[in-house]
Amino acid sequence: MAAPEIEKLIRLFGRLPGLGPRSSQRAVLALLKRRETLLAPLLQALEETARAARSCSRCGNLDTRDPCGLCTDPRREEHALLVVEAVEDLWAMERAGSFRGRYHVLGGTLSAADAVGPEELGIDRLLGRIATEKMEEVILALSATVDGQTTAHYLAERLRPLPVRVTRLGYGVPVGGELNYLDEGTLAAALRSRQPVG
Amino acid sequence: MAAPEIEKLIRLFGRLPGLGPRSSQRAVLALLKRRETLLAPLLQALEETARAARSCSRCGNLDTRDPCGLCTDPRREEHALLVVEAVEDLWAMERAGSFRGRYHVLGGTLSAADAVGPEELGIDRLLGRIATEKMEEVILALSATVDGQTTAHYLAERLRPLPVRVTRLGYGVPVGGELNYLDEGTLAAALRSRQPVG
Ligand SMILES: [Zn+2]
Ligand SMILES: [Zn+2]
């Protein structure tokens, strides 16, 4: 019913997580009603982000610098590494605010169904990083799903020969829950009660 | 935690209706993960829309042409006018697909609390349009809220001297409900059972 350009914009918004056809239509109308105060700044921020954002080659975080701000922040502990599945999880941990070390984003979990093995996740690179950067503790902050826990067990086995304390997030992660949906308090509690693995 | 550019983009997404801080973060991550297939097309569609979208000076619809496609479509009845509060409502009626005439977007309702009177809504312009375009039926498709019904009654009074049949949406609009949230079937039923006013 609207012009093709506007319909196309609504369809594209509808492909974002959490936006259905109606909510994306509402979002586009909100943008068109607030051209100067919302559409123009959003357009500019999208352009800047599209131009500047890149994956950190060290940890996998998304940032405008490589290495990212978390990898280069001198105030953070250098010898504690928190391993997460996805950038979402890294950001969720940062919102919780209780971890002050470094991160590693796996980019997924081991999955027989999806044919994701250790190579796809760059496990050798992770092990190399843990050795090179002399990590003293590796916290496996993986989802409490079957694939997440399979991945945690696999990593714990591979890390056993290294002089590193391996822990996992403790009480607080609901079974079957995805890290990214947890509130900050639960994440902080889970970090405090982390436990040795294997 | 993310770069300032990315944080800014997340904040701007969070100002869209239906997106909170977490869902806007997820939306931005989805964009950054799908640069070529989602971010680039969205950016282009936003640019095109920002450049091309305008309010129709005849009916108030948002389109890339003025007068809009609905006002100039020769296949639509010229002498039936459906009056809505907002562009959202016009688009919702078009989704329902059962009205084939012209539209008029009021841009709100009369509201003592918000000091919105007939002048703010351009009622004189609407009356002029109804006369000039020789409307035979005016359908008042306003929300079943106090302000919506007040506005409908006011319009019915103003239209009484004109040689035009005035109707309102009939059965199917839930009391207190906003038009934009209704499903297509309810909107179609409400249109079928429209009733004379006053
Ligand atoms: Zn990094
Ligand atoms: Zn129009």
Side-chain angles (χ1 to χ4, degrees):
Chain A
M1 76 231 66
E5 295 90 335
I6 301 177
E7 287 291 338
K8 187 180 175 193
L9 185 59
I10 292 168
R11 270 202 313 281
L12 287 165
F13 263 97
R15 287 171 55 195
L16 293 172
L19 282 170
R22 200 156 305 191
S23 52
S24 62
Q25 191 182 78
R26 291 177 67 80
V28 167
L29 274 171
L31 285 170
L32 289 173
K33 285 179 183 171
R34 295 193 278 163
R35 302 264 193 120
E36 295 307 312
T37 57
L38 192 50
L39 201 167
L42 184 73
L43 193 49
Q44 199 192 345
L46 261 179
E47 277 167 355
E48 279 172 15
T49 299
R51 196 184 56 242
R54 60 210 70 225
S55 283
C56 175
S57 57
R58 193 173 302 173
C59 77
N61 186 21
L62 277 164
D63 198 2
T64 51
R65 288 173 292 171
D66 180 15
C68 75
L70 294 174
C71 280
T72 52
D73 185 343
R75 292 163 304 180
R76 298 187 74 104
E77 294 173 45
E78 292 198 30
H79 304 296
L81 187 73
L82 194 140
V83 179
V84 291
E85 287 167 27
V87 177
E88 285 89 328
D89 302 330
L90 187 164
W91 289 6
M93 286 303 310
E94 279 298 286
R95 277 200 303 271
S98 47
F99 177 68
R100 297 296 301 157
R102 308 293 183 188
Y103 286 99
H104 193 91
V105 179
L106 281 179
T109 54
L110 296 176
S111 164
D114 299 327
V116 178
E119 275 168 59
E120 283 72 23
L121 297 182
I123 301 293
D124 285 343
R125 196 172 68 80
L126 168 59
L127 294 174
R129 185 182 169 198
I130 288 165
T132 309
E133 298 184 23
K134 298 186 174 49
M135 291 298 171
E136 289 161 6
E137 180 176 5
V138 173
I139 304 167
L140 302 174
L142 304 178
S143 293
T145 57
V146 171
D147 283 343
Q149 292 312 297
T150 301
T151 309
H153 285 301
Y154 176 82
L155 282 172
E157 283 303 311
R158 295 288 305 270
L159 288 167
R160 199 187 293 274
L162 299 183
V164 64
R165 192 156 68 100
V166 180
T167 58
R168 60 168 173 81
L169 291 188
Y171 304 113
V173 181
V175 173
E178 287 187 285
L179 217 62
N180 183 39
Y181 287 100
L182 300 181
D183 64 285
E184 286 79 355
T186 307
L187 285 169
L191 185 73
R192 277 195 305 278
S193 62
R194 62 190 185 269
Q195 300 172 351
V197 172
Chain B
M1 77 230 70
E5 294 91 336
I6 301 176
E7 287 290 337
K8 188 181 174 190
L9 185 59
I10 293 168
R11 271 200 313 279
L12 286 165
F13 263 97
R15 287 170 56 193
L16 294 172
L19 282 170
R22 199 157 306 192
S23 53
S24 62
Q25 190 182 79
R26 290 176 67 82
V28 167
L29 274 171
L31 286 170
L32 289 173
K33 283 179 183 171
R34 295 193 277 163
R35 301 266 193 119
E36 296 308 314
T37 57
L38 192 51
L39 201 166
L42 183 74
L43 193 49
Q44 198 191 345
L46 261 180
E47 277 167 356
E48 279 172 16
T49 299
R51 194 184 58 241
R54 60 210 72 224
S55 284
C56 175
S57 57
R58 193 172 302 173
C59 76
N61 185 21
L62 277 165
D63 198 2
T64 51
R65 288 174 291 171
D66 181 15
C68 74
L70 295 174
C71 281
T72 53
D73 185 345
R75 293 162 304 179
R76 299 187 74 106
E77 294 172 46
E78 291 196 30
H79 305 296
L81 187 72
L82 194 140
V83 179
V84 291
E85 289 167 26
V87 177
E88 284 90 328
D89 301 331
L90 187 165
W91 289 6
M93 286 303 309
E94 280 298 286
R95 276 199 305 270
S98 46
F99 177 69
R100 297 294 303 156
R102 309 291 182 190
Y103 286 98
H104 193 92
V105 179
L106 282 178
T109 52
L110 297 175
S111 165
D114 299 327
V116 178
E119 276 169 57
E120 283 72 23
L121 297 183
I123 301 294
D124 286 343
R125 196 171 68 79
L126 168 59
L127 295 174
R129 185 183 168 195
I130 288 165
T132 309
E133 298 183 23
K134 299 185 174 51
M135 292 298 170
E136 290 161 7
E137 180 176 5
V138 173
I139 305 167
L140 303 174
L142 304 178
S143 293
T145 57
V146 172
D147 283 343
Q149 292 312 298
T150 302
T151 308
H153 286 302
Y154 176 84
L155 281 171
E157 284 304 311
R158 294 287 306 269
L159 289 166
R160 200 187 293 271
L162 299 183
V164 65
R165 191 156 67 99
V166 180
T167 57
R168 59 167 174 79
L169 291 187
Y171 305 112
V173 181
V175 173
E178 286 187 286
L179 217 63
N180 183 39
Y181 288 99
L182 299 182
D183 63 284
E184 285 79 355
T186 307
L187 285 170
L191 185 74
R192 278 194 304 279
S193 61
R194 62 189 185 270
Q195 300 171 351
V197 172

